[in-house]
Short mmCIF file of all heavy atoms in Angstrom, two decimals:
data_model
loop_
_atom_site.label_atom_id
_atom_site.label_comp_id
_atom_site.label_asym_id
_atom_site.label_seq_id
_atom_site.Cartn_x
_atom_site.Cartn_y
_atom_site.Cartn_z
N THR A 3 0.84 -1.15 -0.06
CA THR A 3 -0.02 0.05 -0.04
C THR A 3 0.94 1.25 0.06
O THR A 3 2.07 1.11 -0.27
CB THR A 3 -0.97 0.02 1.13
OG1 THR A 3 -1.85 1.06 1.01
CG2 THR A 3 -0.28 -0.02 2.50
N GLU A 4 0.39 2.46 0.43
CA GLU A 4 1.20 3.65 0.31
C GLU A 4 1.82 4.04 1.63
O GLU A 4 2.28 5.14 1.71
CB GLU A 4 0.43 4.70 -0.23
CG GLU A 4 0.05 4.50 -1.75
CD GLU A 4 -0.78 5.52 -2.36
OE1 GLU A 4 -1.64 6.15 -1.68
OE2 GLU A 4 -0.69 5.74 -3.62
N THR A 5 1.83 3.08 2.57
CA THR A 5 2.65 3.39 3.77
C THR A 5 3.93 2.52 3.68
O THR A 5 4.19 1.68 2.78
CB THR A 5 1.84 2.95 5.02
OG1 THR A 5 1.72 1.52 5.14
CG2 THR A 5 0.48 3.62 5.08
N ARG A 6 4.72 2.62 4.74
CA ARG A 6 6.06 1.88 4.85
C ARG A 6 5.86 0.48 5.29
O ARG A 6 6.74 -0.25 5.81
CB ARG A 6 7.06 2.53 5.72
CG ARG A 6 6.54 2.71 7.16
CD ARG A 6 7.61 3.25 8.12
NE ARG A 6 8.81 2.32 8.31
CZ ARG A 6 10.01 2.59 7.84
NH1 ARG A 6 10.40 3.78 7.43
NH2 ARG A 6 11.02 1.65 8.08
N LEU A 7 4.63 -0.09 5.16
CA LEU A 7 4.29 -1.44 5.80
C LEU A 7 3.84 -2.50 4.79
O LEU A 7 2.59 -2.91 4.80
CB LEU A 7 3.18 -1.27 6.91
CG LEU A 7 3.53 -0.32 8.11
CD1 LEU A 7 2.34 -0.25 8.98
CD2 LEU A 7 4.82 -0.86 8.82
N PRO A 8 4.61 -2.82 3.83
CA PRO A 8 4.29 -3.93 2.91
C PRO A 8 4.16 -5.11 3.69
O PRO A 8 4.87 -5.42 4.65
CB PRO A 8 5.47 -3.95 1.97
CG PRO A 8 6.54 -3.29 2.63
CD PRO A 8 5.96 -2.29 3.54
N VAL A 9 3.35 -6.09 3.26
CA VAL A 9 2.95 -7.34 3.92
C VAL A 9 3.49 -8.41 3.10
O VAL A 9 3.04 -8.66 1.95
CB VAL A 9 1.51 -7.43 4.25
CG1 VAL A 9 1.18 -8.74 4.97
CG2 VAL A 9 1.11 -6.32 5.21
N GLN A 10 4.21 -9.35 3.72
CA GLN A 10 4.69 -10.55 3.05
C GLN A 10 3.64 -11.69 3.02
O GLN A 10 2.85 -11.75 3.96
CB GLN A 10 5.94 -11.23 3.75
CG GLN A 10 7.01 -10.25 3.92
CD GLN A 10 8.10 -10.74 4.85
OE1 GLN A 10 8.51 -11.86 4.80
NE2 GLN A 10 8.59 -9.89 5.83
N PHE A 11 3.63 -12.51 2.01
CA PHE A 11 2.76 -13.56 1.96
C PHE A 11 3.36 -14.77 1.17
O PHE A 11 4.24 -14.59 0.33
CB PHE A 11 1.38 -13.25 1.42
CG PHE A 11 1.29 -12.84 -0.06
CD1 PHE A 11 1.00 -13.79 -1.05
CD2 PHE A 11 1.64 -11.55 -0.50
CE1 PHE A 11 0.99 -13.48 -2.39
CE2 PHE A 11 1.62 -11.22 -1.81
CZ PHE A 11 1.25 -12.12 -2.81
N ASP A 12 2.75 -15.97 1.28
CA ASP A 12 3.22 -17.14 0.55
C ASP A 12 2.33 -17.25 -0.69
O ASP A 12 1.13 -17.30 -0.66
CB ASP A 12 2.98 -18.31 1.48
CG ASP A 12 3.46 -19.64 0.82
OD1 ASP A 12 3.36 -19.76 -0.50
OD2 ASP A 12 3.90 -20.51 1.53
N PRO A 13 2.99 -17.21 -1.89
CA PRO A 13 2.32 -17.15 -3.07
C PRO A 13 1.56 -18.46 -3.43
O PRO A 13 0.56 -18.49 -4.17
CB PRO A 13 3.37 -16.86 -4.16
CG PRO A 13 4.62 -17.37 -3.66
CD PRO A 13 4.54 -17.05 -2.10
N MET A 14 1.97 -19.56 -2.81
CA MET A 14 1.36 -20.87 -3.01
C MET A 14 0.02 -21.01 -2.24
O MET A 14 -0.91 -21.50 -2.71
CB MET A 14 2.34 -21.96 -2.68
CG MET A 14 3.61 -21.95 -3.52
SD MET A 14 3.37 -21.90 -5.40
CE MET A 14 2.65 -23.55 -5.61
N THR A 15 0.13 -20.59 -0.95
CA THR A 15 -0.98 -20.78 -0.02
C THR A 15 -1.82 -19.53 0.28
O THR A 15 -2.90 -19.53 0.78
CB THR A 15 -0.48 -21.28 1.33
OG1 THR A 15 0.33 -20.36 1.97
CG2 THR A 15 0.33 -22.60 1.14
N LEU A 16 -1.28 -18.30 -0.17
CA LEU A 16 -1.76 -17.02 0.23
C LEU A 16 -1.80 -16.80 1.69
O LEU A 16 -2.44 -15.82 2.17
CB LEU A 16 -3.18 -16.87 -0.42
CG LEU A 16 -3.23 -17.03 -1.92
CD1 LEU A 16 -4.72 -16.71 -2.30
CD2 LEU A 16 -2.30 -16.14 -2.64
N GLU A 17 -1.00 -17.46 2.45
CA GLU A 17 -0.89 -17.26 3.91
C GLU A 17 -0.04 -15.95 4.16
O GLU A 17 0.99 -15.78 3.48
CB GLU A 17 -0.13 -18.39 4.61
CG GLU A 17 0.07 -18.23 6.08
CD GLU A 17 0.91 -19.30 6.70
OE1 GLU A 17 1.39 -20.19 5.97
OE2 GLU A 17 1.15 -19.20 7.88
N THR A 18 -0.59 -15.16 5.06
CA THR A 18 0.12 -13.90 5.42
C THR A 18 1.30 -14.15 6.33
O THR A 18 1.14 -14.94 7.33
CB THR A 18 -0.87 -12.91 6.08
OG1 THR A 18 -1.99 -12.69 5.19
CG2 THR A 18 -0.16 -11.63 6.51
N LEU A 19 2.40 -13.55 6.07
CA LEU A 19 3.69 -13.91 6.76
C LEU A 19 4.25 -12.72 7.59
O LEU A 19 5.30 -12.84 8.26
CB LEU A 19 4.73 -14.38 5.83
CG LEU A 19 4.34 -15.61 5.01
CD1 LEU A 19 5.51 -15.94 4.00
CD2 LEU A 19 4.06 -16.82 5.84
N GLY A 20 3.54 -11.61 7.60
CA GLY A 20 3.91 -10.52 8.47
C GLY A 20 4.50 -9.31 7.66
O GLY A 20 4.63 -9.41 6.48
N ILE A 21 4.79 -8.26 8.33
CA ILE A 21 5.28 -7.09 7.72
C ILE A 21 6.66 -7.24 7.16
O ILE A 21 7.52 -8.02 7.86
CB ILE A 21 5.32 -5.84 8.73
CG1 ILE A 21 3.94 -5.60 9.22
CG2 ILE A 21 6.03 -4.70 8.23
CD1 ILE A 21 2.99 -4.95 8.18
N TYR A 22 7.01 -6.77 6.04
CA TYR A 22 8.32 -6.57 5.58
C TYR A 22 8.96 -5.37 6.27
O TYR A 22 8.61 -4.26 6.01
CB TYR A 22 8.42 -6.44 4.04
CG TYR A 22 9.89 -6.23 3.58
CD1 TYR A 22 10.62 -7.34 3.00
CD2 TYR A 22 10.50 -5.02 3.54
CE1 TYR A 22 11.89 -7.21 2.53
CE2 TYR A 22 11.82 -4.86 3.15
CZ TYR A 22 12.50 -6.04 2.60
OH TYR A 22 13.77 -5.86 2.18
N ASP A 23 9.83 -5.66 7.15
CA ASP A 23 10.45 -4.50 8.02
C ASP A 23 11.76 -3.95 7.36
O ASP A 23 12.79 -4.63 7.39
CB ASP A 23 10.79 -5.11 9.39
CG ASP A 23 11.04 -3.98 10.37
OD1 ASP A 23 11.23 -2.86 9.99
OD2 ASP A 23 11.02 -4.30 11.62
N TYR A 24 11.60 -2.70 6.87
CA TYR A 24 12.83 -2.08 6.33
C TYR A 24 13.91 -1.98 7.32
O TYR A 24 15.10 -2.04 6.98
CB TYR A 24 12.41 -0.72 5.74
CG TYR A 24 11.53 -0.72 4.61
CD1 TYR A 24 10.18 -0.49 4.68
CD2 TYR A 24 12.06 -0.90 3.25
CE1 TYR A 24 9.40 -0.49 3.54
CE2 TYR A 24 11.27 -0.88 2.17
CZ TYR A 24 9.89 -0.71 2.29
OH TYR A 24 9.10 -0.66 1.23
N ASP A 25 13.51 -1.72 8.57
CA ASP A 25 14.50 -1.55 9.65
C ASP A 25 15.30 -2.84 9.96
O ASP A 25 16.41 -2.76 10.62
CB ASP A 25 13.88 -1.06 10.94
CG ASP A 25 13.31 0.35 10.74
OD1 ASP A 25 13.79 1.11 9.82
OD2 ASP A 25 12.41 0.71 11.53
N ASP A 26 14.89 -4.03 9.53
CA ASP A 26 15.57 -5.24 9.65
C ASP A 26 16.67 -5.43 8.70
O ASP A 26 17.61 -6.29 8.92
CB ASP A 26 14.71 -6.46 9.61
CG ASP A 26 13.92 -6.69 10.99
OD1 ASP A 26 14.23 -6.01 11.85
OD2 ASP A 26 12.92 -7.44 10.98
N GLY A 27 16.67 -4.71 7.62
CA GLY A 27 17.70 -4.85 6.52
C GLY A 27 18.94 -4.17 6.83
O GLY A 27 19.03 -3.12 7.56
N PRO A 28 20.14 -4.65 6.28
CA PRO A 28 21.41 -4.05 6.61
C PRO A 28 21.50 -2.76 5.78
O PRO A 28 20.93 -2.55 4.71
CB PRO A 28 22.45 -5.12 6.11
CG PRO A 28 21.66 -5.82 5.06
CD PRO A 28 20.25 -5.96 5.54
N GLY A 29 22.20 -1.79 6.32
CA GLY A 29 22.46 -0.57 5.55
C GLY A 29 21.77 0.59 6.20
O GLY A 29 21.47 0.63 7.35
N ASP A 30 21.49 1.64 5.35
CA ASP A 30 20.85 2.86 5.87
C ASP A 30 19.52 2.70 6.39
O ASP A 30 18.68 1.87 5.89
CB ASP A 30 20.86 3.87 4.70
CG ASP A 30 22.25 4.31 4.15
OD1 ASP A 30 23.19 4.17 4.98
OD2 ASP A 30 22.39 4.69 3.06
N ARG A 31 19.19 3.49 7.45
CA ARG A 31 17.79 3.50 7.96
C ARG A 31 16.95 4.37 7.02
O ARG A 31 17.30 5.21 6.32
CB ARG A 31 17.84 4.17 9.35
CG ARG A 31 18.71 3.44 10.38
CD ARG A 31 18.19 2.06 10.70
NE ARG A 31 18.87 1.13 9.80
CZ ARG A 31 18.40 -0.12 9.69
NH1 ARG A 31 17.27 -0.55 10.30
NH2 ARG A 31 18.97 -1.01 8.86
N LEU A 32 15.62 4.04 7.13
CA LEU A 32 14.64 4.63 6.15
C LEU A 32 13.51 5.18 7.00
O LEU A 32 12.38 4.57 7.09
CB LEU A 32 14.16 3.66 5.14
CG LEU A 32 15.28 3.06 4.32
CD1 LEU A 32 14.65 1.91 3.50
CD2 LEU A 32 15.83 4.19 3.36
N PRO A 33 13.63 6.34 7.68
CA PRO A 33 12.56 6.91 8.46
C PRO A 33 11.43 7.46 7.55
O PRO A 33 11.73 7.88 6.47
CB PRO A 33 13.23 7.97 9.29
CG PRO A 33 14.34 8.46 8.41
CD PRO A 33 14.80 7.17 7.73
N GLY A 34 10.26 7.49 8.12
CA GLY A 34 9.11 8.06 7.36
C GLY A 34 7.93 7.15 7.29
O GLY A 34 8.16 5.97 7.07
N PRO A 35 6.65 7.62 7.38
CA PRO A 35 5.51 6.78 7.32
C PRO A 35 5.05 6.43 5.96
O PRO A 35 4.32 5.48 5.71
CB PRO A 35 4.45 7.67 8.06
CG PRO A 35 4.80 9.12 7.78
CD PRO A 35 6.38 9.06 7.66
N ILE A 36 5.37 7.31 4.97
CA ILE A 36 4.81 7.15 3.69
C ILE A 36 5.86 6.62 2.68
O ILE A 36 6.98 7.11 2.59
CB ILE A 36 4.30 8.44 3.14
CG1 ILE A 36 3.20 9.03 4.04
CG2 ILE A 36 3.62 8.37 1.70
CD1 ILE A 36 2.03 8.13 4.31
N SER A 37 5.47 5.57 1.85
CA SER A 37 6.25 5.10 0.78
C SER A 37 5.46 4.98 -0.42
O SER A 37 4.47 5.74 -0.62
CB SER A 37 6.91 3.70 1.20
OG SER A 37 7.95 3.35 0.23
N ILE A 38 5.77 4.09 -1.36
CA ILE A 38 5.13 4.06 -2.66
C ILE A 38 4.79 2.54 -2.99
O ILE A 38 5.42 1.59 -2.57
CB ILE A 38 6.03 4.61 -3.72
CG1 ILE A 38 5.28 5.09 -4.88
CG2 ILE A 38 7.11 3.62 -4.18
CD1 ILE A 38 6.09 6.09 -5.75
N ALA A 39 3.70 2.39 -3.65
CA ALA A 39 3.19 1.00 -3.99
C ALA A 39 3.74 0.50 -5.35
O ALA A 39 3.50 -0.56 -5.66
CB ALA A 39 1.65 1.15 -4.01
N HIS A 40 4.62 1.28 -5.91
CA HIS A 40 5.22 0.88 -7.21
C HIS A 40 6.71 0.99 -7.26
O HIS A 40 7.25 1.99 -7.88
CB HIS A 40 4.59 1.65 -8.33
CG HIS A 40 3.15 1.47 -8.59
ND1 HIS A 40 2.70 0.19 -9.01
CD2 HIS A 40 2.14 2.27 -8.43
CE1 HIS A 40 1.37 0.35 -9.17
NE2 HIS A 40 0.93 1.41 -8.74
N PRO A 41 7.46 0.20 -6.47
CA PRO A 41 8.95 0.29 -6.56
C PRO A 41 9.32 -0.16 -7.95
O PRO A 41 8.56 -0.84 -8.67
CB PRO A 41 9.38 -0.72 -5.52
CG PRO A 41 8.28 -1.63 -5.37
CD PRO A 41 7.02 -0.81 -5.59
N HIS A 42 10.55 0.15 -8.34
CA HIS A 42 11.17 -0.29 -9.67
C HIS A 42 12.26 -1.25 -9.34
O HIS A 42 12.75 -1.42 -8.29
CB HIS A 42 11.81 0.95 -10.30
CG HIS A 42 10.82 1.66 -11.23
ND1 HIS A 42 10.25 1.13 -12.34
CD2 HIS A 42 10.33 2.99 -11.14
CE1 HIS A 42 9.37 2.01 -12.92
NE2 HIS A 42 9.41 3.13 -12.18
N PHE A 43 12.55 -1.98 -10.48
CA PHE A 43 13.65 -3.02 -10.31
C PHE A 43 14.55 -2.79 -11.61
O PHE A 43 13.97 -2.78 -12.69
CB PHE A 43 13.15 -4.46 -10.22
CG PHE A 43 14.30 -5.37 -9.98
CD1 PHE A 43 14.89 -5.58 -8.79
CD2 PHE A 43 14.77 -6.15 -11.08
CE1 PHE A 43 15.91 -6.42 -8.52
CE2 PHE A 43 15.86 -7.03 -10.82
CZ PHE A 43 16.42 -7.17 -9.58
N ASP A 44 15.82 -2.60 -11.33
CA ASP A 44 16.86 -2.53 -12.40
C ASP A 44 17.45 -3.99 -12.49
O ASP A 44 18.19 -4.41 -11.72
CB ASP A 44 17.89 -1.57 -11.94
CG ASP A 44 18.85 -1.21 -13.12
OD1 ASP A 44 19.25 -2.22 -13.77
OD2 ASP A 44 19.27 -0.12 -13.25
N PHE A 45 17.18 -4.54 -13.61
CA PHE A 45 17.64 -5.98 -13.88
C PHE A 45 19.11 -6.04 -13.99
O PHE A 45 19.76 -7.04 -13.67
CB PHE A 45 16.92 -6.55 -15.12
CG PHE A 45 15.40 -6.82 -14.86
CD1 PHE A 45 14.48 -5.86 -15.15
CD2 PHE A 45 14.96 -8.01 -14.42
CE1 PHE A 45 13.17 -6.04 -14.91
CE2 PHE A 45 13.66 -8.23 -14.13
CZ PHE A 45 12.74 -7.21 -14.44
#
């Protein structure tokens, strides 16, 4: 959605697996409540 709280799920069972926590990732911190629902990927 458009907050910083994307939700993980299992594509086979559609079971919800919890929040993807940006703060758990290594590297820079990402403060702020609002993000975007359309990230890009550079192949």
Side-chain angles (χ1 to χ4, degrees):
T3 184
E4 293 181 325
T5 70
R6 62 172 293 121
L7 301 177
V9 175
Q10 305 171 44
F11 69 94
D12 184 324
M14 303 303 295
T15 65
L16 303 185
E17 178 187 0
T18 301
L19 302 176
I21 297 294
Y22 179 97
D23 191 347
Y24 291 98
D25 292 337
D26 279 350
D30 295 335
R31 301 297 89 195
L32 300 170
I36 302 300
S37 189
I38 204 163
H40 294 292
H42 274 291
F43 187 76
D44 186 317
F45 291 91

